[in-house]
Amino acid sequence: MATIEDVAKLAGLSRSTVSRVLNNHPYVTDEKKRLVYEAMKQLEYYPNSSAQRLRTQKTDTIAVLVPRLTNPFFPFLIEGLEMIAVKYGFQLLICQTHHDKEKELSFLNLLLTKQVDGLIFTAIENDWATIDSFKTYGPMILCNEYMSEATVPIVRLDQVKGSYLGTRHLIEKGHKEIAYCGGTSSELGIDREQGFRKALAESGLVVNEKWLFRDLYSIECGKTLLRKLVEMDHRPSAIFTGSDEVAAGIIREAKNHKIRIPNELAVIGFDDQPIAELLEPSLTTIRQPTRDMGMKTMELMLAMLANPNMNEARQIIELPIQVISRESV
Amino acid sequence: MATIEDVAKLAGLSRSTVSRVLNNHPYVTDEKKRLVYEAMKQLEYYPNSSAQRLRTQKTDTIAVLVPRLTNPFFPFLIEGLEMIAVKYGFQLLICQTHHDKEKELSFLNLLLTKQVDGLIFTAIENDWATIDSFKTYGPMILCNEYMSEATVPIVRLDQVKGSYLGTRHLIEKGHKEIAYCGGTSSELGIDREQGFRKALAESGLVVNEKWLFRDLYSIECGKTLLRKLVEMDHRPSAIFTGSDEVAAGIIREAKNHKIRIPNELAVIGFDDQPIAELLEPSLTTIRQPTRDMGMKTMELMLAMLANPNMNEARQIIELPIQVISRESV
DNA sequence: GTGAAAGCGCTAACAA
DNA sequence: TTGTTAGCGCTTTCAC
């Protein structure tokens, strides 16, 4: 494979000049430029990225840590991230942690081994103290998930508000006995529960601890959850869920148990994924502006890369969130 | 950041010895190994990937070209690919073409610029002649989608058989007027249509050209398709679709038009994505062993990397495919 | 406006 | 078993 040296020789010029042409530097005569382009074409020359990276100490690549791509939320987020990245000549390295701490750490090493210039977390497995030490090696941003101890910029939604609005929506429809299902491993999950509790408290409703379900995420979890509800002597009239998948599982399994939705059980989801609209009844849910969040995040990342002393600014960017009313409530 | 030189100095050894320890070479005494590890730890040393890649001319990275991650088929395929890749210390570089020829070409350049060692296509945008020239720069495999002119290994499903079985299933349920919806831009799509025609022909049924719909892929497309059916004087009693998304759109929109499924219109999908089971009625579909296909593909890729003269073997690996019977037929 | 030369950080002959 | 040395292919001073 041809190297810059080969091109230089064929063009009768020095490596430096070829490099200048390659990088669009000024002060190269059009004539020499032409010579270089011709030689490059003839030799089918393409610059070796590893050499460029070694020399410039930049990779123009951003690592994006996601739990798993099979959760449709993340492909949409990635679409937003990518739109901006591509526009500025950056590449995404998509890393699936599968909720594994060790894997997350191994991806943090991408920063140390200079495989990426920056890192975007869309979920966090380790505690902040562990992650914090890496921030000297490159900019990091939290996107979607967040931690209050974090000392890096955060792009997020107001989750308290999201679940507050969702729960209010249930209450406005006349529900007084509302179950809750959500995560607790992240601050995001905790905030959602807080929003839920706030809405209930405001209306003078009490939280029934028996109707609190935690750390369920999949369709399968939703099915199991419904079966548990069925076995109860006294059932809630509505359930708030922290994900469209769980809601989908509940709705699916409700069918098997002849429980009518929303009449016997109202269900509200979270995310507004494509399935929300396809379910029968269609799912009322809380829409997250996923693509926008990705775009904002990448814009911030590129700004941080261009302006390193920005990294210490602990800004929090918050995006709007809204209830999409369909048939399940 | 510490370099191998720093480690060598601190350990009182040469760079070579440190490198040997790094790469688990034999012939290093345990004592020196210990010294090296100690120094590495003390300096928080991590090898610079770009330097390693430049030197070894390997990246241990495989590019995976997918149309888009928001189509759930691909995240599942990637899961299979990744399982094997990770096991052997390889990284995936996931590239979304968004069905764009230019983008696909730009990803082929990853091979030329030495950013990846090999390339896996899960869909093809350009014609084979264009792609063919790149195969001198690294192993390539077609996975899922295929082309008969292709001169690289192919891991695929028997699409003719898949749609043949699906159509047979419809016929066995008593349907004689069957519509078809599928792609034509790929051989995969053409083969599917062939399987459809074969099943019809075998049963002495005729293909109604008015009921042939082409190049529809999304949920939205499915909705539009149903609306078209509604306007027809004479409607088919069943429809074969080339994707679960289109099928989902049809089922959703059928509801709006009060068309009962499967009574008035039977629908069969393709893929067996998670939504298939969630739809109401649940979707009869053709299951592709997506994860397995990914695993097989990556195993083959690693074998090709290890054994370069394998690249010319034009083998075709075919995986089984089956009809999953649910309620929509 | 162009070229010579140094060096990014690493590995692998080769020599010892 | 270890060290010396020569690059991998590129960019970027610095000098002209």
Side-chain angles (χ1 to χ4, degrees):
Chain A
M1 237 163 141
T3 71
I4 199 171
E5 175 88 54
D6 301 325
V7 176
K9 270 192 191 138
L10 183 61
L13 295 164
S14 73
R15 275 172 8 216
S16 339
T17 304
V18 177
S19 173
R20 284 191 192 102
V21 173
L22 227 52
N23 295 286
N24 287 313
H25 278 266
Y27 310 129
V28 183
T29 55
D30 288 349
E31 168 60 7
K32 312 241 153 159
K33 253 187 209 160
R34 202 185 51 71
L35 284 170
V36 170
Y37 283 132
E38 218 160 71
M40 294 204 303
K41 188 157 192 185
Q42 200 176 324
L43 294 169
E44 293 187 359
Y45 169 76
Y46 284 85
N48 181 310
S49 285
S50 303
Q52 290 182 312
R53 291 176 180 197
L54 175 57
R55 180 60 232 235
T56 61
Q57 306 280 34
K58 299 192 309 138
T59 63
D60 292 349
T61 304
I62 307 295
V64 180
L65 272 57
V66 302
R68 23 181 25 197
L69 289 172
T70 48
N71 177 342
F73 176 78
F74 297 101
F76 285 103
L77 187 59
I78 288 169
E79 237 171 49
L81 290 166
E82 205 192 52
M83 276 173 73
I84 303 302
V86 163
K87 193 169 149 190
Y88 293 95
F90 277 73
Q91 221 175 36
L92 254 46
L93 185 64
I94 298 165
C95 309
Q96 298 194 65
T97 64
H98 291 279
H99 293 294
D100 183 315
K101 287 188 185 197
E102 295 306 315
K103 274 217 164 134
E104 181 171 88
L105 283 175
S106 79
F107 292 134
L108 278 161
N109 277 340
L110 292 170
L111 235 30
L112 299 177
T113 59
K114 291 270 159 68
Q115 294 191 59
V116 300
D117 296 338
L119 206 145
I120 294 169
F121 291 88
T122 68
I124 313 173
E125 304 307 328
N126 291 276
D127 46 38
W128 185 255
T130 310
I131 292 171
D132 192 68
S133 57
F134 289 86
K135 74 169 190 250
T136 46
Y137 301 109
M140 303 195 309
I141 302 184
L142 306 191
C143 168
N144 181 45
E145 213 168 289
Y146 50 89
M147 280 178 146
S148 43
E149 319 107 276
T151 52
V152 299
I154 297 175
V155 179
R156 46 164 275 184
L157 307 169
D158 187 339
Q159 302 286 347
V160 178
K161 189 176 167 199
S163 57
Y164 171 80
L165 290 177
T167 311
R168 276 274 310 259
H169 183 76
L170 291 170
I171 295 170
E172 282 160 9
K173 292 277 183 172
H175 294 281
K176 296 196 188 313
E177 305 192 303
I178 306 176
Y180 175 88
C181 157
T184 53
S185 59
S186 63
E187 244 173 87
L188 178 152
I190 292 165
D191 279 0
R192 282 190 188 168
E193 187 167 331
Q194 198 192 313
F196 169 77
R197 287 175 181 275
K198 186 177 150 203
L200 254 56
E202 255 185 37
S203 299
L205 300 173
V206 285
V207 176
N208 183 333
E209 296 291 330
K210 281 187 190 154
W211 295 340
L212 247 39
F213 300 91
R214 287 180 172 138
D215 299 316
L216 308 177
Y217 302 99
S218 66
I219 292 168
E220 221 35 67
C221 293
K223 291 183 185 174
T224 313
L225 170 45
L226 187 107
R227 273 180 243 122
K228 277 190 195 151
L229 288 181
V230 167
E231 286 167 8
M232 289 183 174
D233 300 331
H234 186 60
R235 291 209 300 256
S237 71
I239 181 161
F240 174 100
T241 70
S243 96
D244 283 355
E245 341 267 314
V246 174
I250 291 174
I251 290 177
R252 169 78 256 182
E253 191 70 7
K255 227 156 277 167
N256 298 342
H257 293 270
K258 311 262 185 260
I259 292 177
R260 284 168 306 139
I261 291 180
N263 312 44
E264 295 176 71
L265 181 69
V267 182
I268 187 166
F270 215 112
D271 272 4
D272 196 25
Q273 293 181 5
I275 43 164
E277 186 223 6
L278 296 172
L279 294 170
E280 171 67 21
S282 60
L283 183 65
T284 291
T285 188
I286 295 151
R287 176 178 294 168
Q288 313 204 52
T290 316
R291 257 198 210 79
D292 290 350
M293 189 160 58
M295 292 173 69
K296 273 269 177 303
T297 303
M298 189 54 72
E299 277 162 5
L300 181 56
M301 173 55 76
L302 298 183
M304 288 169 76
L305 245 20
N307 187 357
N309 54 325
M310 242 178 99
N311 297 15
E312 277 309 312
R314 279 199 52 205
Q315 59 180 311
I316 295 180
I317 298 180
E318 221 164 60
L319 280 85
I321 199 162
Q322 62 175 311
V323 174
I324 303 296
S325 178
R326 295 204 181 86
E327 302 162 353
S328 69
V329 172
Chain B
M1 238 162 138
T3 72
I4 200 172
E5 175 88 55
D6 301 325
V7 176
K9 269 191 192 140
L10 184 61
L13 295 164
S14 74
R15 278 176 358 221
S16 347
T17 304
V18 177
S19 173
R20 285 190 192 100
V21 173
L22 228 52
N23 296 286
N24 287 312
H25 279 265
Y27 311 128
V28 184
T29 55
D30 288 349
E31 168 61 6
K32 312 244 151 153
K33 255 186 207 159
R34 201 185 51 71
L35 284 170
V36 170
Y37 283 130
E38 218 160 70
M40 292 204 305
K41 188 158 193 184
Q42 198 176 325
L43 295 169
E44 293 186 0
Y45 168 76
Y46 284 85
N48 180 309
S49 286
S50 303
Q52 290 182 313
R53 291 176 179 197
L54 175 57
R55 183 56 234 234
T56 60
Q57 306 280 35
K58 299 191 310 135
T59 64
D60 291 349
T61 304
I62 307 295
V64 179
L65 272 56
V66 301
R68 21 182 26 197
L69 289 172
T70 48
N71 177 342
F73 176 78
F74 296 101
F76 284 104
L77 187 59
I78 288 169
E79 238 171 50
L81 291 165
E82 203 192 53
M83 276 173 73
I84 303 301
V86 164
K87 193 168 149 194
Y88 293 95
F90 277 72
Q91 223 175 35
L92 254 46
L93 186 64
I94 297 165
C95 309
Q96 299 193 65
T97 64
H98 291 280
H99 293 294
D100 182 314
K101 287 188 186 197
E102 295 305 315
K103 273 216 164 134
E104 182 171 88
L105 284 175
S106 80
F107 292 134
L108 277 161
N109 278 340
L110 292 169
L111 233 33
L112 298 177
T113 58
K114 291 272 159 66
Q115 293 191 60
V116 301
D117 297 338
L119 206 145
I120 293 169
F121 291 87
T122 68
I124 313 173
E125 304 307 328
N126 290 275
D127 45 38
W128 185 254
T130 310
I131 293 169
D132 193 68
S133 57
F134 289 86
K135 74 170 191 250
T136 45
Y137 301 108
M140 305 195 306
I141 302 183
L142 305 192
C143 168
N144 181 47
E145 214 169 288
Y146 50 89
M147 281 179 147
S148 43
E149 320 104 276
T151 51
V152 298
I154 298 175
V155 180
R156 45 165 275 181
L157 307 169
D158 187 340
Q159 301 286 348
V160 178
K161 189 176 166 196
S163 57
Y164 171 80
L165 290 176
T167 312
R168 277 274 311 257
H169 183 76
L170 291 171
I171 295 171
E172 281 160 11
K173 292 277 183 172
H175 294 283
K176 297 197 188 311
E177 305 192 302
I178 307 175
Y180 175 88
C181 156
T184 53
S185 60
S186 63
E187 247 173 84
L188 178 151
I190 292 164
D191 280 359
R192 282 189 188 168
E193 187 168 328
Q194 198 191 313
F196 169 76
R197 287 174 181 274
K198 186 178 148 201
L200 255 55
E202 254 185 36
S203 299
L205 300 173
V206 285
V207 176
N208 183 335
E209 296 292 329
K210 281 188 190 154
W211 294 341
L212 247 39
F213 300 91
R214 287 178 172 142
D215 300 315
L216 308 177
Y217 302 99
S218 66
I219 293 169
E220 222 35 68
C221 292
K223 290 183 184 173
T224 314
L225 170 46
L226 187 106
R227 273 180 244 121
K228 278 191 195 150
L229 288 182
V230 166
E231 287 168 7
M232 289 183 175
D233 299 332
H234 186 61
R235 290 209 301 256
S237 72
I239 182 161
F240 174 101
T241 70
S243 98
D244 283 355
E245 341 268 312
V246 174
I250 292 174
I251 290 178
R252 170 76 257 180
E253 191 69 8
K255 227 157 278 166
N256 297 342
H257 293 271
K258 310 261 187 264
I259 292 179
R260 286 167 306 139
I261 292 183
N263 312 44
E264 295 175 71
L265 182 69
V267 182
I268 186 165
F270 215 112
D271 272 4
D272 197 25
Q273 293 181 7
I275 44 163
E277 185 223 7
L278 296 172
L279 294 171
E280 170 67 22
S282 60
L283 183 66
T284 292
T285 188
I286 294 151
R287 177 178 292 167
Q288 315 204 50
T290 316
R291 257 198 210 80
D292 290 349
M293 190 161 56
M295 293 173 68
K296 274 270 178 301
T297 303
M298 190 52 74
E299 277 162 4
L300 181 56
M301 173 54 77
L302 298 183
M304 288 169 76
L305 246 19
N307 187 358
N309 54 325
M310 243 179 99
N311 297 15
E312 277 311 312
R314 280 198 51 205
Q315 59 180 312
I316 296 180
I317 298 179
E318 221 163 60
L319 281 85
I321 199 161
Q322 61 174 312
V323 174
I324 303 296
S325 177
R326 295 205 181 86
E327 301 162 354
S328 68
V329 172

